[in-house]
Amino acid sequence: MKVLVINCGSSSLKYQLIDSETEQPMASGLCERIGIDGQLTHKVNGKKLKDEEKNAMPNHEVAVQLVLNELVNEEYGVIKDLSEINAVGHRVVHGGEKFASSVIINDEVIAAIAECNDLAPLHNPANLIGIEACKKVLPNVPMVAVFDTAFHQTMPEKAYMYGIPHKYYEDYKIRRYGFHGTSHSFVSKRLAELAGLDINNSKIIVCHIGNGGSVTAVLNGESVDTSMGLTPLEGIIMGTRSGSIDPAIIEFIAHKENKSIDEIMTILNKKSGLEGMSGLTSDFRDIRKGVADGNPLAKAAMEAYIYNIAKYVGAYTVAMNGVDAIAFTAGIGENAPEVRKGVMAHLGFLGVKADEEACKITAEEIMVSTKDSKVKVFIVPTNEELAIARETKALVG
Ligand code: AMP
């Protein structure tokens, strides 16, 4: 079966055509600046065939049509006819409490996703635009919605309720939802296989640390707590997001600098985290260089970043009354040995022992703890597109 995986933003559309037999991408790419001047990057076998070529791309429907044209292109197309696309899998950011698993998309599902727009005003409307565009261009192809929040719907009430008046949950469904669920689910399953654990009898912690980041406690294959909350702002320090702070800081800055709540939210989402702390950029490679250059703010940012992640691992060990295995994934988790080593150095009391040599290896599925480490620690590269393709196949298959 061939599954077209779509991840749609407000002015962008990422795609992969995945052959679910080989589980390999046949083609992938990105439409950017939709509604502006339209740029398309299309790759086959990882090789760029069209690099940011300008295309008239007034809306997402035209973008989807251009992607399909690339897939059947006479010269470098990977399929002969669009009828070879058996299903489309859409990444949808917020499923609220309505979706605890992936679903086949119909009109009711579209309406229910729209009802969650309030909870993810930047993401859900864009995801719906992608769904509508595909519906128009591929009207007879079944489509599946895969939610970032669904995996965390197993969290117990004690983990998802905030210490605020209950009316806010009743009136607006304010609670912890958690994100990166597709990745946490994919990585925890793979970690169980790699560590030789029975997923149904396991205590796993996944550290998904990229530009955004979250840590999840996965008990017997189910998410029981996660660091992101109502929005992706809560939790560990991230590239540009502050992570958890004292909420009174918002009022304090508002008064001191005469700023609106919207302005402060922009600071917390876009100007904080590693970038704000270091005064450099959000890219971990720049922080690393800053540390090497002796920049004290870069050093402080890196130390706080590592310490924060380690604290969540500690908390989730408590949540599960133990931990069997830990995974590092996403851009920083897969590529930053100093972060893995730094976090593991805090976990000696749990019997975690780092394998110094293995720790240096990057972006590979590999054990980075020693053989006699009580808790197994692995790098498990995430693959959200493949996870979406698998979910889609399972429902449409
Ligand atoms: P993601 O959001 O998962 O795509 O992760 C993106 C982040 O991974 C970037 O902002 C970088 O900070 C980080 N990253 C990517 N490659 C490397 C690398 N070789 N070393 C350290 N950090 C990296």
Side-chain angles (χ1 to χ4, degrees), residues 16-19 22-28 43-46 383:
Q16 268 193 20
L17 183 67
I18 294 182
D19 181 339
T22 61
E23 298 207 317
Q24 293 302 316
M26 301 170 71
S28 63
K43 288 187 195 169
V44 175
N45 291 328
N383 190 338

Side-chain angles (χ1 to χ4, degrees), residues 10-56:
S10 55
S11 66
S12 68
L13 187 150
K14 264 198 250 170
Y15 61 93
Q16 268 193 20
L17 183 67
I18 294 182
D19 181 339
S20 58
E21 312 320 318
T22 61
E23 298 207 317
Q24 293 302 316
M26 301 170 71
S28 63
L30 172 66
C31 299
E32 288 172 287
R33 301 172 63 84
I34 299 172
I36 310 169
D37 52 4
Q39 286 180 350
L40 175 70
T41 309
H42 183 71
K43 288 187 195 169
V44 175
N45 291 328
K47 212 173 103 203
K48 274 186 195 171
L49 289 176
K50 272 198 172 180
D51 194 2
E52 291 165 11
E53 182 173 313
K54 293 257 193 299
N55 284 278

Side-chain angles (χ1 to χ4, degrees), residues 223-256:
S223 168
V224 290
D225 208 344
T226 191
S227 58
M228 282 180 167
L230 172 75
T231 75
L233 184 56
E234 193 183 346
I236 59 171
I237 293 170
M238 301 175 225
T240 62
R241 295 188 196 120
S242 62
S244 296
I245 58 165
D246 179 347
I249 293 171
I250 296 172
E251 185 206 26
F252 197 92
I253 298 178
H255 287 164
K256 287 280 182 200

Side-chain angles (χ1 to χ4, degrees), residues 66-364:
L66 286 169
V67 169
L68 297 178
N69 293 349
E70 294 296 286
L71 295 176
V72 295
N73 184 289
E74 276 195 1
E75 196 189 320
Y76 52 79
V78 292
I79 50 174
K80 288 210 168 58
D81 193 275
L82 292 181
S83 62
E84 289 178 48
I85 300 175
N86 305 102
V88 181
H90 290 271
R91 174 187 183 221
V92 180
V93 167
H94 220 306
E97 288 187 332
K98 294 176 195 294
F99 297 103
S101 59
S102 305
V103 284
I104 294 189
I105 297 174
N106 57 27
D107 289 345
E108 274 167 32
V109 167
I110 290 175
I113 294 172
E115 282 171 31
C116 300
N117 280 358
D118 238 14
L119 295 167
L122 295 179
H123 293 99
N124 269 32
N127 301 150
L128 280 170
I129 289 171
I131 291 172
E132 292 293 353
C134 287
K135 211 171 114 183
K136 284 212 178 109
V137 183
L138 296 167
N140 300 316
V141 179
M143 301 200 288
V144 168
V146 181
F147 299 90
D148 262 26
T149 50
F151 182 60
H152 301 299
Q153 279 296 300
T154 45
M155 274 188 291
E157 198 177 1
K158 66 183 175 190
Y160 70 68
M161 289 306 281
Y162 289 116
I164 59 176
H166 198 257
K167 85 184 257 331
Y168 295 117
Y169 174 67
E170 289 161 25
D171 293 351
Y172 311 117
K173 290 277 175 264
I174 292 179
R175 50 160 282 182
R176 175 182 314 286
Y177 288 98
F179 298 87
H180 296 136
T182 313
S183 175
H184 285 295
S185 165
F186 177 89
V187 170
S188 55
K189 285 192 186 84
R190 184 67 189 135
L191 174 61
E193 286 171 7
L194 291 169
L197 295 166
D198 169 8
I199 186 93
N200 298 314
N201 185 20
S202 63
K203 296 171 178 176
I204 282 174
I205 295 175
V206 178
C207 304
H208 175 114
I209 44 177
N211 193 31
S214 62
V215 182
T216 294
V218 184
L219 179 62
N220 304 330
E222 293 187 339
S223 168
V224 290
D225 208 344
T226 191
S227 58
M228 282 180 167
L230 172 75
T231 75
L233 184 56
E234 193 183 346
I236 59 171
I237 293 170
M238 301 175 225
T240 62
R241 295 188 196 120
S242 62
S244 296
I245 58 165
D246 179 347
I249 293 171
I250 296 172
E251 185 206 26
F252 197 92
I253 298 178
H255 287 164
K256 287 280 182 200
E257 300 204 344
N258 198 22
K259 282 192 160 52
S260 69
I261 296 219
D262 283 359
E263 285 172 310
I264 296 173
M265 293 317 289
T266 302
I267 293 169
L268 295 179
N269 272 302
K270 305 217 161 119
K271 305 265 175 232
S272 298
L274 290 172
E275 180 170 312
M277 293 176 79
S278 67
L280 299 171
T281 76
S282 62
D283 194 310
F284 192 81
R285 286 161 287 201
D286 292 335
I287 307 294
R288 174 187 286 155
K289 186 168 177 304
V291 173
D293 292 346
N295 178 330
L297 293 185
K299 183 166 178 278
M302 169 112 62
E303 281 175 0
Y305 182 75
I306 289 169
Y307 177 66
N308 238 265
I309 297 166
K311 277 209 298 188
Y312 272 96
V313 173
Y316 292 162
T317 303
V318 171
M320 297 188 290
N321 204 358
V323 57
D324 300 318
I326 299 169
F328 286 101
T329 193
I332 297 174
E334 292 167 29
N335 293 298
E338 59 273 67
V339 173
R340 294 191 291 267
K341 266 180 69 179
V343 172
M344 288 162 80
H346 283 282
L347 306 175
F349 76 102
L350 290 174
V352 170
K353 279 197 214 160
D355 180 327
E356 297 286 330
E357 283 310 304
C359 255
K360 292 181 193 154
I361 295 170
T362 59
E364 266 180 44

